[in-house]
Amino acid sequence: MPKKHSYEFVKSVIENRGKYRLISKEYIDARTKLEIICPNDHTFYMTFDNFKKGCDCKYCANDKRKKPFLSHQQVKHYIEFESNSNCLLLSKEYTGVTQKLKIKCPCNNIFTTDFHNFKLGKNRCNECNGITNWNYVMVKEFVNAQEYDLISENYTKSIDKLSMQCPNGHIIDLSFYDFKRGNRCAKCAGNKKHTIEEVAEFIVERESNYK
């Protein structure tokens, strides 16, 4: 059985490591948590076993994880030179890979992306990437080109339902996102939802045909 350390020994080990201070007034064993203050004045609890293994104050450890591995200057150098993208970094600070950065595209459009996605190749504005920012006029022209009439008078985003009329005169509500994917009038496609009365009438008629 290992020898139990004295309180004085434990205190000396803790306080000889930087500017840590032992607050607990009693030492029970190596697996009982002690109250300690770190050099940054965080109060935390840790066993003597873990402290001897080099474990750090959890608050300081979290702060270290939050700090970006790269500086703003390193990110700027990568975007403007190493990536060969001809982009310019406009953001004045960098806090981490998920931060939205403001970048100037070679075509002079301004776009935002995070550093992680930029390195994955998303290093152009939507226009250069062939992504269209649809407005109402463009949506209406697209719908009309499919022989549908757009009834809605406003367009905000692609997932919002739009009221439109199909070539057979049916009024439907369909998002522009679904319309672009090829979805069309459910009634014309035979996907109309029937009422209970219609279903009952169909069953009665079907049964009469077998009598």
Side-chain angles (χ1 to χ4, degrees):
M1 183 176 179
K3 180 182 177 181
K4 179 181 176 180
H5 299 299
S6 66
Y7 175 82
E8 290 73 20
F9 173 79
V10 172
K11 181 177 174 68
S12 66
V13 170
I14 291 174
E15 297 189 350
N16 283 333
R17 177 177 157 187
K19 295 182 179 180
Y20 283 83
R21 287 172 286 159
L22 178 61
I23 303 302
S24 296
K25 301 301 181 184
E26 180 184 16
Y27 172 72
I28 299 174
D29 56 45
R31 296 182 180 178
T32 300
K33 289 186 176 181
L34 299 166
E35 185 178 0
I36 304 170
I37 294 180
C38 78
N40 292 317
D41 289 327
H42 300 134
T43 300
F44 67 101
Y45 296 85
M46 183 179 289
T47 65
F48 187 52
D49 264 354
N50 285 336
F51 190 88
K52 287 190 298 179
K53 292 175 183 176
C55 294
D56 206 351
C57 162
K58 65 178 182 179
Y59 304 106
C60 293
N62 287 337
D63 289 342
K64 289 177 183 177
R65 282 194 288 268
K66 290 177 182 177
K67 291 180 180 178
F69 291 105
L70 298 175
S71 66
H72 176 270
Q73 189 59 38
Q74 289 173 310
V75 171
K76 181 179 176 67
H77 186 270
Y78 179 87
I79 290 174
E80 297 184 358
F81 299 101
E82 293 180 42
S83 68
N84 295 317
S85 65
N86 295 319
C87 291
L88 295 176
L89 177 62
L90 301 182
S91 296
K92 300 302 182 184
E93 63 176 0
Y94 175 71
T95 58
V97 292
T98 59
Q99 175 201 348
K100 292 296 182 182
L101 299 170
K102 185 181 289 187
I103 300 172
K104 187 175 183 180
C105 186
C107 71
N108 290 326
N109 284 334
I110 308 299
F111 69 100
T112 58
T113 187
D114 57 54
F115 188 53
H116 175 72
N117 281 322
F118 187 92
K119 291 180 71 177
L120 290 177
K122 298 179 181 179
N123 52 13
R124 289 290 185 274
C125 68
N126 284 345
E127 187 174 330
C128 289
N129 282 327
I131 301 173
T132 304
N133 291 320
W134 295 86
N135 58 36
Y136 178 79
V137 174
M138 296 166 67
V139 170
K140 185 175 180 65
E141 289 177 352
F142 185 91
V143 171
N144 289 347
Q146 312 302 314
E147 298 183 353
Y148 277 67
D149 289 324
L150 183 61
I151 298 173
S152 295
E153 297 181 350
N154 294 295
Y155 171 77
T156 51
K157 52 183 181 290
S158 64
I159 60 173
D160 288 345
K161 292 290 181 69
L162 296 171
S163 181
M164 56 184 76
Q165 186 177 43
C166 79
N168 292 319
H170 302 132
I171 305 299
I172 62 170
D173 291 321
L174 190 66
S175 71
F176 187 54
Y177 174 80
D178 287 331
F179 191 84
K180 285 193 298 178
R181 295 177 63 195
N183 292 356
R184 293 296 184 264
C185 173
K187 295 178 181 178
C188 294
N191 296 328
K192 176 186 174 182
K193 292 183 178 180
H194 297 281
T195 64
I196 295 177
E197 291 76 13
E198 289 175 326
V199 173
E201 183 180 347
F202 173 79
I203 293 173
V204 171
E205 181 180 348
R206 186 180 179 88
E207 288 179 345
S208 64
N209 291 334
Y210 285 96
K211 290 181 180 179

